[in-house]
Amino acid sequence: MIILDYKDTRPIYEQVVDKLQKLIINGILEPDSRMPSVRSLAMELSINPNTIQKAYAELERTGFLYTIKGRGNFVTYNEELCVLKKEEYLNQIRKLLEEAEEIGVSRAEMLEALKEGESGND
């Protein structure tokens, strides 16, 4: 379900949040399905339960999860979340394009990099 990258400079909880958001957006975690308990997911990933608790809290804050007291955490899904996440990615791409132009990367080079990225997903 989730594979952590210990070479990634982001905190572990951010990686967990990112992976779970992608699973929710892609429909792998279905709406209203129950999430694993904090303890069981922590054991599965071999990380501290506080890290999972922090990730779940962030997912709830951003609208990807909701909590029912005494029952656990459940997946929220609505199209607005998907649109917001896609817009976030597009903004990151725009920022990268601006930075690339600032250091002299041509549009042709950028397009070539995009094409290479597409062929890597086949």
Side-chain angles (χ1 to χ4, degrees), residues 15-77:
Q15 291 183 51
V16 172
V17 167
D18 185 54
K19 305 277 185 184
L20 289 173
Q21 283 178 342
K22 288 176 183 172
L23 292 171
I24 292 168
I25 287 171
N26 290 324
I28 295 166
L29 293 174
E30 296 179 2
D32 300 317
S33 63
R34 188 169 188 264
M35 293 294 293
S37 71
V38 168
R39 184 171 292 161
S40 68
L41 187 55
M43 286 177 50
E44 181 181 325
L45 298 175
S46 299
I47 60 177
N48 190 307
N50 293 334
T51 303
I52 299 300
Q53 186 62 46
K54 188 172 183 177
Y56 278 9
E58 178 64 16
L59 288 164
E60 185 172 5
R61 187 188 69 75
T62 56
F64 284 88
L65 295 182
Y66 64 93
T67 301
I68 298 176
K69 292 281 185 201
R71 300 232 15 242
N73 297 289
F74 295 83
V75 174
T76 300
Y77 179 86

Side-chain angles (χ1 to χ4, degrees), residues 10 14-26 58-59 62 64 77-94:
R10 296 178 301 159
E14 285 183 12
Q15 291 183 51
V16 172
V17 167
D18 185 54
K19 305 277 185 184
L20 289 173
Q21 283 178 342
K22 288 176 183 172
L23 292 171
I24 292 168
I25 287 171
N26 290 324
E58 178 64 16
L59 288 164
T62 56
F64 284 88
Y77 179 86
N78 65 46
E79 197 60 36
E80 186 177 316
L81 289 175
C82 292
V83 170
L84 290 173
K85 195 65 178 173
K86 288 177 185 178
E87 189 58 38
E88 181 182 317
Y89 286 127
L90 290 173
N91 286 334
Q92 290 176 2
I93 291 169
R94 288 182 194 105

